[in-house]
Amino acid sequence: MEKETAAVARNRKVVLRGYIDRAPREDDMELVDGGDVALRVPEGAAAGGPAVLVKNLYLSCDPYMRSRMRDFQGSYIPPFKPGSPIEGFGVGRVVDSTHPGFSAGDFVSGMTGWEDYSLITKPEQLRKIQQSDIPLSYHLGLLGMPGFTAYVGFYEICSPKKGEFVFVSAASGAVGQIVGQLAKLHGCYVVGSAGTNQKVELLKEKFGFDAAFNYKEEPDLAAALKRYFREGIDIYFENVGGPMLDAVLLNMRVHGRIAVCGMVSQHGVTAPAGIHNLFSLISKRIDMKGFIQSDYLHLFPQFVDDITKHYRDGKIVYVEDMSVGLESGPAAFVGLFSGKNVGKQVVRVSQD
């Protein structure tokens, strides 16, 4: 009996043209025609192990992806391969599967390629999404890596106490907007910084921050922080690095805590800005700790339960910046580094 021929579809891809040692530009990436793809897991995929073929629906733009565009092997995640699709977190629909845990029609989230269809050869890294009233794209932000980064960083690294003074930089971004709202729910006083007056108003009016300021309009960041934190800062959620971190160190309180996960101002900089006020770590006995959310995956189910409840109860709101079409991906990603996005940057590849 002849084997049934699988349906095929065209597969576009966004590929990295070559390694860079500067801030990314749109022309560092290229949309190419990847040819036809059979809508079935090929025989022998993943060296005979189970695999899942996914139609990508939404792709996440995240600052950490910049570090994968350089030829550097010493990071916690390997670099992209020039000529191959860029990789990142995505949400997709299963087209075909040889893994018993996934069936055609399931919605999943996990690491995927910037392309219309991706063959996932490590399906154990995928998470099945239970359809609900929460938008699918939110599994890249509110209920995805950025949301989990905010959750882990605030509760596990910062060890907050009610009434403490919290500062969040890049506060309107994918991580910052959640940190600020969690801090408010915890009973803290919260101030955020952002790069436009529109984002400042968003922080105060939509996310409920006690105060916010446009760091681009402040000639002296240390003095600005002193205005908002007359008694000093207990918790700083560090997303940008550079001069902002230096200014915060001067304004920290004794036994303050700093969670470091972003440093976005230093991405693509060949000569990173030095930090001059590290002596404050000693004089004020500050705990400053870098972290990666994947070290805390045992807490992910608890995070999903907690954030889902807060969202449904109306205690947390979320803002996305949605670009439409795979071809819009390079511009959306590059815009992260100039602050063009308002909220979590997502690329919608397909709605079906």
Side-chain angles (χ1 to χ4, degrees):
M1 181 176 177
E2 290 187 8
K3 188 171 181 180
E4 181 183 351
T5 302
V8 298
R10 213 67 179 169
N11 195 28
R12 301 169 302 158
K13 305 169 181 280
V14 174
V15 302
L16 179 68
R17 299 180 67 180
Y19 290 125
I20 60 174
D21 58 2
R22 48 166 169 71
R25 300 192 303 248
E26 288 183 47
D27 60 4
D28 294 321
M29 297 157 274
E30 183 180 13
L31 180 70
V32 300
D33 185 345
D36 288 338
V37 57
L39 301 183
R40 175 183 289 165
V41 173
E43 292 185 13
V52 177
L53 180 66
V54 171
K55 180 178 176 62
N56 292 309
L57 305 179
Y58 298 95
L59 300 174
S60 178
C61 295
D62 297 298
Y64 83 90
M65 296 165 65
R66 159 64 188 94
S67 63
R68 302 190 67 188
M69 300 176 80
R70 58 187 180 132
D71 189 11
F72 178 67
Q73 303 291 335
S75 181
Y76 62 92
I77 189 168
F80 296 137
K81 295 179 181 178
S84 295
I86 287 171
E87 297 173 342
F89 290 102
V91 165
R93 176 176 53 79
V94 175
V95 175
D96 188 33
S97 172
T98 58
H99 188 287
F102 302 98
S103 302
D106 286 345
F107 291 101
V108 295
S109 64
M111 192 65 70
T112 189
W114 277 34
E115 53 192 348
D116 290 304
Y117 295 89
S118 292
L119 182 66
I120 311 297
T121 57
K122 295 181 179 179
E124 65 277 3
Q125 297 178 358
L126 294 175
R127 291 192 183 94
K128 189 183 295 187
I129 297 173
Q130 301 301 325
Q131 285 189 270
S132 68
D133 55 321
I134 297 177
L136 281 173
S137 58
Y138 279 26
H139 291 271
L140 295 178
L142 180 68
L143 295 176
M145 182 273 288
F148 191 45
T149 298
Y151 185 88
V152 167
F154 184 63
Y155 291 118
E156 298 297 310
I157 307 297
C158 296
S159 301
K161 302 178 185 65
K162 183 178 180 179
E164 288 192 313
F165 300 97
V166 176
F167 176 54
V168 185
S169 55
S172 68
V175 175
Q177 60 176 286
I178 301 175
V179 174
Q181 293 179 83
L182 291 177
K184 287 300 300 176
L185 286 173
H186 203 75
C188 298
Y189 173 81
V190 186
V191 177
S193 65
T196 69
N197 292 331
Q198 175 196 9
K199 293 178 180 180
V200 167
E201 290 307 307
L202 188 69
L203 293 175
K204 294 186 292 186
E205 300 301 324
K206 192 170 185 69
F207 299 138
F209 283 55
D210 293 287
F213 64 92
N214 184 343
Y215 71 89
K216 293 180 180 178
E217 295 182 349
E218 298 292 343
D220 186 334
L221 291 174
L225 290 169
K226 186 67 176 177
R227 289 202 314 271
Y228 291 99
F229 295 99
R230 297 191 179 280
E231 299 178 50
I233 301 167
D234 292 296
I235 290 171
Y236 173 41
F237 203 100
E238 161 44 39
N239 286 315
V240 299
M244 184 65 81
L245 175 57
D246 236 354
V248 168
L249 287 168
L250 294 177
N251 282 278
M252 292 294 293
R253 300 181 77 181
V254 171
H255 298 302
R257 285 88 68 205
I258 301 176
V260 183
C261 78
M263 294 281 183
V264 70
S265 74
Q266 303 304 296
H267 291 201
V269 176
T270 54
I275 303 299
H276 304 280
N277 298 320
L278 286 176
F279 187 78
S280 296
L281 297 178
I282 301 171
S283 61
K284 298 178 180 180
R285 284 85 83 199
I286 298 167
D287 288 332
M288 184 165 73
K289 183 176 181 178
F291 73 99
I292 300 171
Q293 53 84 28
S294 57
D295 290 340
Y296 298 85
L297 289 179
H298 61 286
L299 296 174
F300 196 85
Q302 175 186 322
F303 150 74
V304 171
D305 288 346
D306 288 350
I307 298 299
T308 298
K309 185 177 188 306
H310 288 325
Y311 177 75
R312 288 184 173 145
D313 290 346
K315 294 180 179 179
I316 281 184
V317 296
Y318 197 62
V319 171
E320 284 183 322
D321 196 327
M322 185 78 72
S323 295
V324 179
L326 184 60
E327 65 279 3
S328 72
F333 175 69
V334 169
L336 289 176
F337 303 95
S338 59
K340 286 185 178 180
N341 60 301
V342 179
K344 167 62 185 168
Q345 183 66 63
V346 176
V347 175
R348 190 180 80 198
V349 182
S350 175
Q351 283 187 302
D352 63 351

